[in-house]
């Protein structure tokens, strides 16, 4: 712990000096290539359900990224390395089923062979992009190792639409797992055709290892294929929309699927996962005399095969918000909605009906990440305050399982060759998962320095009570420092 605090304090001092002295905005170059670097460092505190000693711990995680990039008229290229560092991992926070990993600290410990401290260096991105192919402005081809985030193909000109896409649309199904202290990339190719009215994007790739495992060099035996069409229009009511299709093929051998079948059936199912996900979203901002109102809908359906089972599942999000034309110094924004991911009612009927979230960044939608969109009903309300240079947000989420015959799922997708990527705990016939209350604050000190803080508390429901004895609540808090140069 003392080592982790010393690490944070050292960089905290650097942040103070940068804020006081200022930094030259002129980019550092080697020839025509721009040098970039960033450091994100966090100190975490977890107290898992049951209030057991193994579930009460602190640790630190940091991610240093540095690289070179060059942009020319017809060609861009980029090389970037990542150095994750995990300190004081709670190796005792990994318990036998059904207790499982007691928070993300347990996930990091399990993924790194029970090491207390872990670090590595690997290629995060290395790619080139050919622009204006065939003389067509806006047409490009990119290949190599890259990051890709579904729903973020186009950034709307309208600031509210841009915020909604970033925070409530993007990363639901395919992303870099940006919250983790290692993250993931994709090895493959991306085609883009962007016009004044439409954007067409296509991606074919394989995800890398990483996320919780500090080494991110290797690819996984998983193929992903993604295509989308995105548009933006409207003078009175600004509107952003997208339709997409996502193919997922997991052909890793020896990896047992996480679902609600008995262990003997799951262990015997060595067939691949081949799932198609089809959906879209629409966002709209409607100006009113009392302040703008925003409307959001996102939905997806799935088919294909889940090993020997047929895949039939779906999910949706319906949300609305209002920015009242009062208190303009803090710019309040009130939002609420309902998110749903289907569950499986009958483990023996040959159909897998649990919505599969593929390769997302789940923490964006589950800020204390003890759940995700799989077999979940999430009714929420939130308040956002935005005074100068600060964003304060507070949420309340009422969480239930979509089907009491299915599992309580956690995780964010495959990240190791032998680990499925999602875990499931028994519901014991219950559906009430809990109520989450949280608050966060993000402060921009300079263009190069930012700090954040988060506190979340979830009162457990009947699902968690059936598994964990003692105090039936989970707590997560962290402090984050961001440096960018």
């Amino acid at each position: 712990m003392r080592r982790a605090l010393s690490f944070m304090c050292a960089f905290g001092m650097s942040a103070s000096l940068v804020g006081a002295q200022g930094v030259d905005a002129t980019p550092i170059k080697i020839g025509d290539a721009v040098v970039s670097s960033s450091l994100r460092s966090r100190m975490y505190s977890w107290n898992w359900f049951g209030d057991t000693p193994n579930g009460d711990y602190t640790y630190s995680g940091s991610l240093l990224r540095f690289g070179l990039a060059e942009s020319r008229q017809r060609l861009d290229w980029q090389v970037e390395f990542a150095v994750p560092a995990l300190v004081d991992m709670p190796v005792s926070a990994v318990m036998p089923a059904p207790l499982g990993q007691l928070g993300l600290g347990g996930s990091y410990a399990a993924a790194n062979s029970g090491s207390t401290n872990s670090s590595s260096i690997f290629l995060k991105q290395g790619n080139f992009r050919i622009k204006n192919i065939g003389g067509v402005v806006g047409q490009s081809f990119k290949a190599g190792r890259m990051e890709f985030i579904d729903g973020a193909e186009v950034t709307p000109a309208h600031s509210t639409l841009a915020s909604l896409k970033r925070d409530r649309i993007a990363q639901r199904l395919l992303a870099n797992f940006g919250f983790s202290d290692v993250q993931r990339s994709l090895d493959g190719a991306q085609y883009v055709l962007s016009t004044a009215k439409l954007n067409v994007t296509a991606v074919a790739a394989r995800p890398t290892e990483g996320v919780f495992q500090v080494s991110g060099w290797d690819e996984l035996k998983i193929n992903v294929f993604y295509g989308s069409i995105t548009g933006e229009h409207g003078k009175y009511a600004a509107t952003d929309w997208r339709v997409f299709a996502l193919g997922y093929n997991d052909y890793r051998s020896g990896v047992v699927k996480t679902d609600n079948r008995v262990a003997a059936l799951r262990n015997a199912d060595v067939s691949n996962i081949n799932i198609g996900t089809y959906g879209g979203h629409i966002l709209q901002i409607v100006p009113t005399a009392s302040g703008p109102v925003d409307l959001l809908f996102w939905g997806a359906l799935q088919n294909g095969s889940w090993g020997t089972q047929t895949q039939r599942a779906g999910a949706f999000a319906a949300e609305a918000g209002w920015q009242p034309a009062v208190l303009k110094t803090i710019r309040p924004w009130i939002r609420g909605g309902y998110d749903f991911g289907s569950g499986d009612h009958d483990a023996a009927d040959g159909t897998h009906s649990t919505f599969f979230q593929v390769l997302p960044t789940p923490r964006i939608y589950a800020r204390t990440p003890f759940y995700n969109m799989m077999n979940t009903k999430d009714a929420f309300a939130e308040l956002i305050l935005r005074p100068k240079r600060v964003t304060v947000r507070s949420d309340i989420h009422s969480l239930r399982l979509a089907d009491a015959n299915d599992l309580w799922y956690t995780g964010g997708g495959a990240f190791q060759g032998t680990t499925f990527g999602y875990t499931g705990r028994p519901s014991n016939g219950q559906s009430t998962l809990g109520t989450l209350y949280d608050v966060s604050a993000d402060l921009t000190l300079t263009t190069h320095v930012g700090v954040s803080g988060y506190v979340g508390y979830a009162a457990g429901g009947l699902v968690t009570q059936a598994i964990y004895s003692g105090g039936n609540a989970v707590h997560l808090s962290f402090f984050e420092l961001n440096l960018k140069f």
Side-chain angles (χ1 to χ4, degrees), residues 4-14:
L5 285 172
S6 298
F7 180 82
M8 291 291 292
C9 289
F11 281 103
M13 182 178 295
S14 298

Side-chain angles (χ1 to χ4, degrees), residues 89-289:
M89 290 297 103
V91 296
S92 62
V94 183
M95 304 291 287
L99 301 182
Q101 298 166 4
L102 310 180
L104 295 190
S107 300
Y108 285 113
N112 294 285
S113 304
S115 298
T116 302
N117 304 306
S118 301
S119 186
S120 179
I121 182 172
F122 59 88
L123 181 67
K124 186 72 176 70
Q125 299 190 88
N127 57 72
F128 67 89
R129 182 168 70 114
I130 303 172
K131 300 181 289 185
N132 304 329
I133 298 173
V136 178
V137 176
Q139 184 170 228
S140 65
F141 175 81
K142 184 177 183 180
R145 177 164 291 190
M146 67 191 79
E147 292 185 317
F148 180 78
I149 294 174
D150 87 281
E153 296 91 327
V154 178
T155 300
H158 194 290
S159 61
T160 299
L161 284 180
S163 296
L164 286 172
K165 286 194 75 173
R166 181 192 65 225
D167 297 335
R168 302 304 305 173
I169 292 293
Q171 308 197 48
R172 285 187 182 268
L173 298 177
L174 184 58
N176 63 349
F177 211 130
F179 179 74
S180 84
D181 293 307
V182 186
Q183 304 183 6
R184 72 162 63 93
S185 299
L186 296 178
D187 288 345
Q190 176 183 355
Y191 169 82
V192 174
L193 174 60
S194 185
T195 70
K197 295 184 177 181
L198 293 175
N199 173 279
V200 177
T201 296
V203 175
R206 287 184 176 185
T208 65
E209 292 188 325
V211 180
F212 301 117
Q213 173 187 290
V214 294
S215 176
W217 280 106
D218 294 338
E219 292 179 349
L220 295 170
K221 292 183 177 180
I222 293 173
N223 298 324
V224 292
F225 305 94
Y226 175 85
S228 68
I229 302 175
T230 306
E232 183 179 2
H233 62 84
K235 294 183 179 180
Y236 171 75
T239 303
D240 180 278
W241 60 269
R242 172 184 57 132
V243 293
F244 67 84
L246 171 62
Y248 179 87
N249 169 225
D250 183 346
Y251 58 100
R252 293 174 294 165
S253 62
V255 178
V256 179
K257 302 169 184 63
T258 299
D259 57 52
N260 60 342
R261 292 176 293 177
V262 297
L265 289 178
R266 292 188 295 110
N267 290 332
D269 184 357
V270 296
S271 299
N272 296 348
I273 294 176
N274 290 284
I275 292 178
T277 305
Y278 318 94
H281 79 257
I282 185 166
L283 298 170
Q284 190 170 67
I285 308 298
V286 181
T288 71

Side-chain angles (χ1 to χ4, degrees), residues 67-112:
L68 290 171
E70 183 178 355
S71 181
R72 297 181 179 179
Q73 184 176 0
R74 297 293 301 276
L75 178 70
D76 296 343
W77 63 266
Q78 177 186 28
V79 175
E80 182 184 40
F81 289 88
V83 183
L86 307 173
V87 180
D88 286 339
M89 290 297 103
V91 296
S92 62
V94 183
M95 304 291 287
L99 301 182
Q101 298 166 4
L102 310 180
L104 295 190
S107 300
Y108 285 113
N112 294 285

Side-chain angles (χ1 to χ4, degrees), residues 51-70:
D51 201 22
T52 60
N54 290 348
D56 187 0
Y57 55 84
T58 59
Y59 66 95
S60 71
S62 300
L63 181 62
L64 172 66
R65 297 173 62 161
F66 61 93
L68 290 171
E70 183 178 355

Side-chain angles (χ1 to χ4, degrees), residues 303-333:
N303 66 1
S305 61
W306 181 269
T308 59
Q309 298 188 97
T310 299
Q311 177 76 10
R312 296 289 185 271
F316 72 86
E319 304 176 10
W322 173 47
Q323 300 177 60
V326 296
L327 303 174
K328 294 184 179 180
T329 57
I330 60 174
R331 297 188 297 151
W333 190 357

